[in-house]
Amino acid sequence: MLNNDFQTSLTAGEQDRRDGLAPGNRLLGRVVACNGSRATISAVAEGGETALTELWSVGRLISISVGRNRVVALVYSMAADQQNWIDNRDTVFRIEVELLGEVNVSADGREEFSAGITDYPYLGAIAHRIRASDLAKVYDTGKNDVCVIGKLTQDESLDATIHVPSMLEKHFAIVGTTGVGKSTSVTLLLHKAIQADPSLRVLILDPHNEFASAFGDLAVVIDTDTLDLPFWLFRLEELAEVIFRGRPPVPEEMDILRDLIPEAKRAFRGSNESGVMRRASEKSSITADTPVPFRIADLLALVDERIGRLEGRAEKPHLRSLKVKIMSAINDPRYHFMFSSNTITDTILDTIARIFRIPGEDKPVTTFQLAGIPSEVVNSVASVLCRMAFEIGLWSNGGVHMLVVCEEAHRYVPADPKLGFAPTRQAIARIAKEGRKYGVSLGIITQRPGELDPTILSQCSTIFAMRLANEHDQEIIRSAIPNSSSSTTSFISSIGNGEAIAFGEAVAVPMRMRFSRVESNRLPKAGSSGVKTSEETPQSVDLRSIVARMRAVSGPDISNFQNAYLASQGQGATLPTGYEDAPYEDEEDYIETLQAVAPARPAAAPPPEPYRPDMLPGAGSVYEPSPQERFDAIRRELAEPQRPAADPYRQPQRPAFGEQQEPRREGSIREQLLKKPLSSLIRR
């Protein structure tokens, strides 16, 4: 589609803009040196005046007349011949420029910009300010379906345009330090991409939960409360990352999982074949990586079965350790999105349809909030999502055009191969290398390109480089951009907020531009930012709810108990406004709150006396007998023969063969009374 704004600005740019200066004042200087890619221009500030020198600045384009053509050059350095500037005296200064291309004038008068140069500037060639019409031709992509994303920094009257299909076909990246406007720029680009391709499906891996407010009705927000990502969708390495909590897995326990998970999957399918036939028919059909449902209970039963075997004594410690880790994972409330009751059945169709918006229901964007997911499993979740996105594009034969946007991408694909999670790196790298063949695009956003895998960055054919202060990051950008020189990014450390230098397939030449402003209701807002999101204050905040969220434990549902209690107590047991839906730990907490805040009720008849503990069945008696009754009980006890308690571990001594057993002698009552403690006879 042809952008009307761009067409209007291009038509207006056909007029030569001289800023009120006379035509002769367009002359800035003359070429004094030139090589294959750069040239040096010498100019004079007459009488120390700066009227002409103000037209020169780093990052601006100028033109050099060479016959009928005009060579376009980029200013990247300037310096005076003298060390100081003297007023009322002519000052000579030199300008270093990089040659970008030329505006060709055909025989019929038609003008067109080309990146190549047919005739290089000669010594003494005149350098002058570039015409607005030439500036529009330089940044014209030559395609009709372009989108306006901002304004040119050099001339605010001209639009900065990009070709969205070229940007998405070979991936794109936005780099810049914190606070320069990366998230706002991403929001703008994604809105333009959706307008250009309504069938596009966008998946945003949002580690800061900031894009939920940026797309309004176009997006579906998925967080830990609304997420059902079945554990059986995870491959073995991804599931091990969850079970072992991000630590290196134990090889012996990994081998056990590799053997038992396929068995658990076959048990879920209800295979009734014999062991030999089952191994022969399903040996290669189901593996530990096959996305087939299985039950954790079946897996634990298989582990218990191995523990109970007589053989494999050396394997049992690993089995017990693995069982403890699995039980710890499934009992952790933070992993409820993986091991809930909703993830037991085969819900792969519903999961894919909801996450990847197929068919979409006019909501093509999914913001996947990763902030609430435990840090030790974020890499596994990102790996699953990126891998499934590629597989959907692969097995649909490119029928689903998908864009995966990775915010803070240096977390998932770091430059150091020893860091990060290998399956996540492989999934993102596969999209970067092969995704364009199957309609899967990749968007990389990072504030530290120096910590990002350079292979991933080199696969991004369009890069929006915003302000970067770190020298190493600047060097990475220079090395990752093809056909670029240091002069193009020499001023990248000093550009303003919202500004960027765009390179690559989506633009004709490197373009310094400023992104358009985004509406306030579409600005991304991080949940941890300083923006006021609620009216809570330190005096009114509920610490119990905060602690419950920290522990990822929701309070019990006592609504039925509340209704029954209020019905039994009548109208007097009502809570004031604000206490009805408050979180209560249990029924006792609710009753205590009710008694504390409810108005005093009139005195009623005293309740019946409750049962004493000694009156309950099975309770120990607290009745104290008289001394005579105690003495009679002792006499009855002593009248019976006293036998020592049997020792269960001691074998009874039997008389030898032919030996008569000596009869037991019972002590007298007096001796037995003397052995009895005095405290048992006298009441305290």
Side-chain angles (χ1 to χ4, degrees):
M1 61 180 177
L2 181 62
N3 190 285
N4 295 329
D5 295 337
F6 174 68
Q7 188 178 19
T8 303
S9 65
L10 183 61
T11 304
E14 295 296 335
Q15 301 177 357
D16 187 17
R17 305 180 187 275
R18 307 180 188 275
D19 300 329
L21 297 178
N25 287 343
R26 288 187 66 245
L27 177 118
L28 297 180
R30 293 183 180 271
V31 176
V32 296
C34 181
N35 57 24
S37 60
R38 300 182 181 182
T40 303
I41 301 172
S42 177
V44 179
E46 298 179 355
E49 293 293 333
T50 59
L52 293 180
T53 59
E54 290 177 356
L55 303 177
W56 298 89
S57 64
V58 173
R60 295 177 69 92
L61 296 183
I62 65 167
S63 62
I64 303 173
S65 297
V66 183
R68 292 174 57 89
N69 301 334
R70 296 181 293 275
V71 176
V72 179
L74 173 70
V75 178
Y76 68 89
S77 177
M78 53 187 177
D81 285 353
Q82 298 83 9
Q83 296 296 326
N84 54 0
W85 188 275
I86 302 176
D87 294 335
N88 302 322
R89 181 182 296 183
D90 294 348
T91 301
V92 179
F93 56 94
R94 295 177 181 270
I95 311 298
E96 302 292 337
V97 297
E98 179 186 5
L99 306 180
L100 299 180
E102 66 180 0
V103 178
N104 298 316
V105 182
S106 60
D108 58 355
R110 184 178 180 181
E111 298 180 351
E112 184 179 6
F113 174 79
S114 63
I117 298 176
T118 56
D119 296 326
Y120 281 89
Y122 52 86
L123 294 180
I126 298 176
H128 50 81
R129 289 181 296 118
I130 191 171
R131 301 177 180 180
S133 59
D134 289 350
L135 198 62
K137 293 182 180 68
V138 168
Y139 294 117
D140 184 12
T141 60
K143 301 179 177 64
N144 292 331
D145 49 346
V146 294
C147 293
V148 177
I149 61 172
K151 298 290 183 179
L152 296 180
T153 303
Q154 182 167 344
D155 192 342
E156 293 286 344
S157 64
L158 296 179
D159 293 329
T161 61
I162 60 170
H163 188 235
V164 174
S166 299
M167 181 185 72
L168 297 181
E169 182 181 358
K170 297 181 180 179
H171 320 306
F172 70 94
I174 299 179
V175 299
T177 188
T178 303
V180 298
K182 293 192 304 298
S183 300
T184 305
S185 305
V186 172
T187 302
L188 176 64
L189 290 176
L190 292 183
H191 277 287
K192 296 295 182 180
I194 295 172
Q195 294 175 6
D197 185 5
S199 64
L200 179 66
R201 295 294 178 263
V202 182
L203 173 64
I204 305 176
L205 302 182
D206 188 5
H208 302 302
N209 298 355
E210 59 183 349
F211 287 101
S213 60
F215 297 96
D217 296 336
L218 294 176
V220 171
V221 181
I222 298 180
D223 54 14
T224 53
D225 295 333
T226 60
L227 171 63
D228 287 327
L229 191 64
F231 62 90
W232 45 265
L233 281 179
F234 289 55
R235 288 186 173 179
L236 178 60
E237 292 181 344
E238 297 163 349
L239 184 60
E241 182 79 359
V242 177
I243 294 177
F244 292 92
R245 306 296 182 99
R247 300 184 180 92
V250 181
E252 292 80 4
E253 298 179 14
M254 283 290 292
D255 293 338
I256 295 172
L257 287 175
R258 189 175 290 106
D259 293 341
L260 296 185
I261 289 180
E263 294 292 335
K265 292 179 178 179
R266 283 190 283 268
F268 182 84
R269 295 178 61 183
S271 178
N272 295 323
E273 299 176 357
S274 62
V276 177
M277 296 178 60
R278 182 175 56 194
R279 285 191 295 269
S281 62
E282 300 183 354
K283 184 176 181 180
S284 60
S285 61
I286 295 182
T287 65
D289 296 333
T290 308
V292 176
F294 69 95
R295 288 181 290 264
I296 292 293
D298 293 340
L299 180 61
L300 293 175
L302 293 172
V303 173
D304 290 335
E305 180 184 354
R306 283 203 177 187
I307 293 177
R309 292 179 182 176
L310 296 178
E311 70 276 5
R313 180 177 301 177
E315 189 184 27
K316 292 185 179 181
H318 300 293
L319 288 167
R320 294 190 180 95
S321 176
L322 177 61
K323 181 180 178 181
V324 171
K325 292 173 182 173
I326 295 175
M327 294 294 296
S328 176
I330 64 177
N331 291 329
D332 194 333
R334 300 179 302 165
Y335 297 162
H336 182 72
F337 67 94
M338 292 177 55
F339 300 105
S340 66
S341 58
N342 298 331
T343 61
I344 297 177
T345 57
D346 190 355
T347 58
I348 187 171
L349 293 178
D350 297 336
T351 301
I352 293 178
R354 185 165 187 270
I355 294 177
F356 297 99
R357 310 309 305 152
I358 302 173
E361 300 175 356
D362 297 330
K363 293 186 177 182
V365 181
T366 302
T367 59
F368 205 100
Q369 298 187 349
L370 300 176
I373 297 178
S375 59
E376 58 268 20
V377 300
V378 167
N379 287 328
S380 294
V381 173
S383 175
V384 172
L385 297 176
C386 294
R387 175 173 53 82
M388 291 177 62
F390 180 83
E391 291 179 353
I392 290 174
L394 172 64
W395 299 116
S396 66
N397 297 322
V400 181
H401 189 192
M402 195 169 301
L403 171 62
V404 180
V405 180
C406 294
E407 176 76 44
E408 303 289 349
H410 57 274
R411 295 183 178 183
Y412 312 117
V413 280
D416 189 353
K418 298 180 181 179
L419 301 177
F421 186 45
T424 308
R425 178 193 296 270
Q426 295 171 1
I428 297 179
R430 194 177 184 189
I431 295 177
K433 296 177 182 178
E434 307 175 26
R436 61 184 181 87
K437 303 176 183 178
Y438 309 105
V440 183
S441 305
L442 181 65
I444 296 295
I445 298 95
T446 179
Q447 59 184 347
R448 290 304 309 272
E451 297 180 1
L452 184 68
D453 187 356
T455 304
I456 303 296
L457 191 60
S458 64
Q459 296 293 329
C460 298
S461 62
T462 303
I463 296 179
F464 299 89
M466 307 184 79
R467 186 170 69 246
L468 289 170
N470 188 279
E471 182 65 28
H472 179 57
D473 294 338
Q474 299 176 23
E475 189 63 31
I476 291 296
I477 294 298
R478 297 189 188 104
S479 62
I481 299 172
N483 301 326
S484 65
S485 62
S486 59
S487 62
T488 310
T489 55
S490 59
F491 47 87
I492 199 173
S493 61
S494 58
I495 59 178
N497 291 346
E499 277 192 272
I501 302 173
F503 307 86
E505 298 287 340
V507 296
V509 296
M511 174 178 61
R512 182 176 177 180
M513 46 81 62
R514 183 183 299 275
F515 285 103
S516 300
R517 291 186 176 272
V518 179
E519 294 84 351
S520 58
N521 59 342
R522 292 185 176 181
L523 287 174
K525 300 176 183 178
S528 59
S529 64
V531 181
K532 187 71 174 178
T533 57
S534 66
E535 298 298 330
E536 295 291 341
T537 62
Q539 287 76 21
S540 62
V541 71
D542 187 4
L543 285 180
R544 290 187 299 180
S545 62
I546 295 177
V547 173
R549 292 176 182 177
M550 291 171 57
R551 295 174 176 173
V553 179
S554 59
D557 184 11
I558 61 170
S559 57
N560 295 332
F561 175 80
Q562 292 179 5
N563 297 334
Y565 184 83
L566 293 176
S568 63
Q569 297 296 323
Q571 297 296 327
T574 57
L575 288 173
T577 304
Y579 286 87
E580 297 89 344
D581 299 329
Y584 300 101
E585 297 180 357
D586 50 19
E587 291 83 353
E588 295 182 359
D589 183 22
Y590 175 76
I591 295 176
E592 292 177 359
T593 306
L594 182 67
Q595 294 175 351
V597 302
R601 301 180 62 186
E609 182 181 359
Y611 284 99
R612 297 195 309 271
D614 59 309
M615 300 173 63
L616 295 176
S621 176
V622 295
Y623 172 72
E624 292 291 342
S626 62
Q628 183 62 33
E629 293 175 342
R630 293 176 59 84
F631 187 80
D632 294 340
I634 292 174
R635 289 181 61 89
R636 289 193 301 270
E637 180 182 353
L638 295 178
E640 299 178 357
Q642 298 294 324
R643 298 177 181 176
D647 189 355
Y649 301 99
R650 182 178 179 183
Q651 297 293 335
Q653 296 182 356
R654 298 184 178 181
F657 180 76
E659 182 179 356
Q660 296 294 330
Q661 185 175 4
E662 185 175 352
R664 173 181 294 182
R665 297 182 178 178
E666 300 291 344
S668 62
I669 295 179
R670 181 175 178 276
E671 293 176 353
Q672 295 176 6
L673 285 175
L674 291 176
K675 294 179 181 179
K676 203 71 173 176
L678 187 61
S679 59
S680 62
L681 301 178
I682 302 176
R683 183 177 181 180
R684 296 179 180 178

